[in-house]
Amino acid sequence: MNLSGELKQLLSSEFVSALEIISQKADDFGVRVFIIGGVVRDLLLGKNIYDVDLVVEGNAIEFCKFIEAENCCNIERISPDFGTAKITLKQFKNLSLDFASTRTEKYPKKGHLPVVDKIGCTLLEDIKRRDFSVNALALSINKNDFGLLIDYTDGVKDIEKKELKILHDNSFIDDPTRIIRGLRFAYKLDFKLEKNTQILQKEYLQHFNNNDICYERIKQVVKLAFSLNSTELYNEFINSKIYKLITAAPFLKDGFCIKKAVEKNKKLIPNENIWLVYLSCCINLEDTEKLNLNSKELSIFKELNRLKHNKVKINSNYDIYNQFNNVPMESIVAYLAITQDNSAQIYIDNLMNITPAINGNDLIELGFERGRIIGQVIEKIKEEKINGNIKNKEDEFLLAKKIMSEFYN
Ligand code: ATP
Ligand code: MG
């Protein structure tokens, strides 16, 4: 199969020209260069491509140095340990290309980060270290076979069958993050796990040992998966027991309420934090320990935990305000999803932005002395405003005067 037509259709003309330059240089240097991985999958699925991963069968850094010596590109970054290089072509200043060397990997500690075993192996060996057959396709860009599809693992057939198939039976043991990658691809591509892959995943989730998991990596893939803001994905995470990778007992079993709460309050949560709402609806504060969250992420779990457990008696809007004031929005939305407690939505819709119009200077002009009393009066005015007892600045002044007369007499 040759995909040069798809390449021209789904890549920008600038990108195609850049590939043609690389194609010529690959022939001049005498190496085989391929587009590799998910990009080829997306080409076959007819998706527009904005970035390509390239692999050099051999040493990518030496190849990039050759192109640079020919005055065609600038090398932006190299990482010798992995044999990768990032370049920009002189002709297309805004376009950068990522090159990897073909490599094999070993897992000295199963489930943890692999180490590079050999740089410059064959394409086939490089393909074998990948996760799913649909992500293990390569497309030659050498001149004599530009666009030729190389499919060692029946990836094309699996794309047609809409199936995700791992490449060997130890795949999840080597790298359990693939389970969550699979979940993400299943949802994103509307694919299903192939039968044997399904069995091996189930087996892994029944018998794995916590020490064989690198939670740092799990966090990264969970983040990508939950960022898709999907009820179906969350429910599959629960129903397939993938949650076991991070918690013994998931808190919320149905993602419907999470999505509903997120959608209703979407403008208040940065896109990059949506995953934290899903995660905090799923795992407990104690589960976060192993995930190595940063302090901001952790505070979302701590505050949610406080909301869940320190139930305060609510007698007024001001009580609601105090329950949620200064709590991260992600915690409030997760709390809403978990408890369906409408006071959280009342806080967001009606209370959180209420502030007195009157300020400290106004109070001093009225005759208050500087000091703690100013803050206390402002807070009292805020309380009355939140409780709906006063409406405008005039009311605020009247209340301030009343407090002053009581306070100084
Ligand atoms: P996306 O469109 O989500 O970026 P992708 O397939 O390009 O999907 P990447 O995470 O960008 O995924 O990885 C690029 C390629 O690297 C994959 O297609 C796959 O071949 C390989 N890969 C990435 N992560 C793993 C992994 N954990 N195990 C094996 N191979 C992996
Ligand atoms: Mg990618």
Side-chain angles (χ1 to χ4, degrees), residues 46 107 118 166 196 223 234 239 289:
Y107 291 86
K118 188 165 84 184
I166 46 173
N196 185 47
K223 182 173 177 175
Y234 184 86
N239 296 335
E289 260 169 47

Side-chain angles (χ1 to χ4, degrees), residues 4 12 16 18 87-88 97 107 119-120 135 152 157 179 183 192 202 206 219 221-222 264 281 287 291 300 303 308 323:
S4 56
S12 67
V16 174
I87 65 163
T88 47
L97 295 171
Y107 291 86
I119 288 184
N135 289 346
Y152 288 126
K157 218 188 262 171
I179 292 179
L183 174 75
K192 296 225 160 1
K202 209 166 164 194
Q206 268 163 3
K219 176 189 164 186
V221 286
V222 164
K264 195 155 179 18
C281 286
D287 296 317
L291 289 180
I300 291 170
E303 289 295 320
K308 282 195 298 200
Q323 192 188 8

Side-chain angles (χ1 to χ4, degrees), residues 38-39 41 53:
V39 186
R41 174 200 72 215
D53 294 320

Side-chain angles (χ1 to χ4, degrees), residues 226 229-239 243 249-262 277-283 333-340:
F226 283 165
N229 187 17
S230 158
T231 305
E232 294 95 313
L233 183 145
Y234 184 86
N235 290 353
E236 187 58 26
F237 182 77
I238 302 296
N239 296 335
Y243 68 79
F251 212 78
L252 205 58
K253 308 267 187 315
D254 186 348
F256 175 75
C257 297
I258 312 176
K259 171 113 181 188
K260 193 169 139 215
V262 167
V277 179
Y278 279 84
L279 187 63
S280 60
C281 286
C282 177
I283 68 174
V333 173
Y335 176 79
L336 176 65
I338 292 168
T339 61
Q340 300 296 303

